[in-house]
Amino acid sequence: MHLAYPAVLSVLLFCTGLYGVLARRNAILVLMSVELMLNAVNLNLVAFDVWLSKAAEETLHSGQALTLFTIAIAAAEIGIGLAIVLAVHRNRGTSDIDKLRDTAEGPDDGPDDGGPGTGTPAAGPAAEKAEATA
């Protein structure tokens, strides 16, 4: 088997995953694209392991062992990633990455709205305009 065939397939898979990470706005699709990129790396590891084992007298199959570790880490990553995406979706109602700036900030800033007794002036259109120009 030539090394070029799995290498070209791996490059195509990795580029497809990279495009998915950069172009998609849905968090689940981004996680799927990361998995596609990891699978491309796994394909390269196994292909180079097979190619190098033909030249070596003692075969350690270190590429295949590293692939198993990568699969285990990818499974843990996707489990934790999906749990985080589901928690954010329950709190925010969307999994759109552009709309999720920070999990700590909400649509309003909370009870400190600049009312009486807070020590800060009331926020009005003039105060917002002054903050925008400063």
Side-chain angles (χ1 to χ4, degrees):
M1 177 177 82
H2 294 285
L3 186 61
Y5 299 133
V8 168
L9 180 62
S10 178
V11 166
L12 290 175
L13 284 174
F14 193 85
C15 289
T16 304
L18 186 65
Y19 173 74
V21 167
L22 296 176
R24 299 293 178 186
R25 299 292 175 236
N26 191 350
I28 294 176
L29 292 177
V30 170
L31 286 174
M32 288 174 59
S33 299
V34 169
E35 289 292 323
L36 196 62
M37 292 167 62
L38 286 173
N39 285 332
V41 171
N42 288 340
L43 179 64
N44 254 343
L45 284 171
V46 171
F48 275 97
D49 181 47
V50 168
W51 183 64
L52 291 174
S53 69
K54 290 180 182 177
E57 293 177 8
E58 296 179 11
T59 57
L60 295 175
H61 297 296
S62 58
Q64 293 176 12
L66 191 59
T67 297
L68 288 176
F69 284 118
T70 307
I71 289 171
I73 290 171
E77 174 258 335
I78 199 69
I80 292 171
L82 280 176
I84 291 171
V85 167
L86 286 175
V88 168
H89 188 272
R90 284 183 184 170
N91 289 336
R92 297 292 181 110
T94 183
S95 61
D96 190 5
I97 294 176
D98 289 337
K99 293 180 183 175
L100 303 174
R101 289 179 291 175
D102 190 6
T103 58
E105 66 184 51
D108 57 342
D109 291 330
D112 188 22
D113 57 334
T118 59
T120 58
E128 290 177 5
K129 186 175 182 182
E131 287 179 6
T133 57

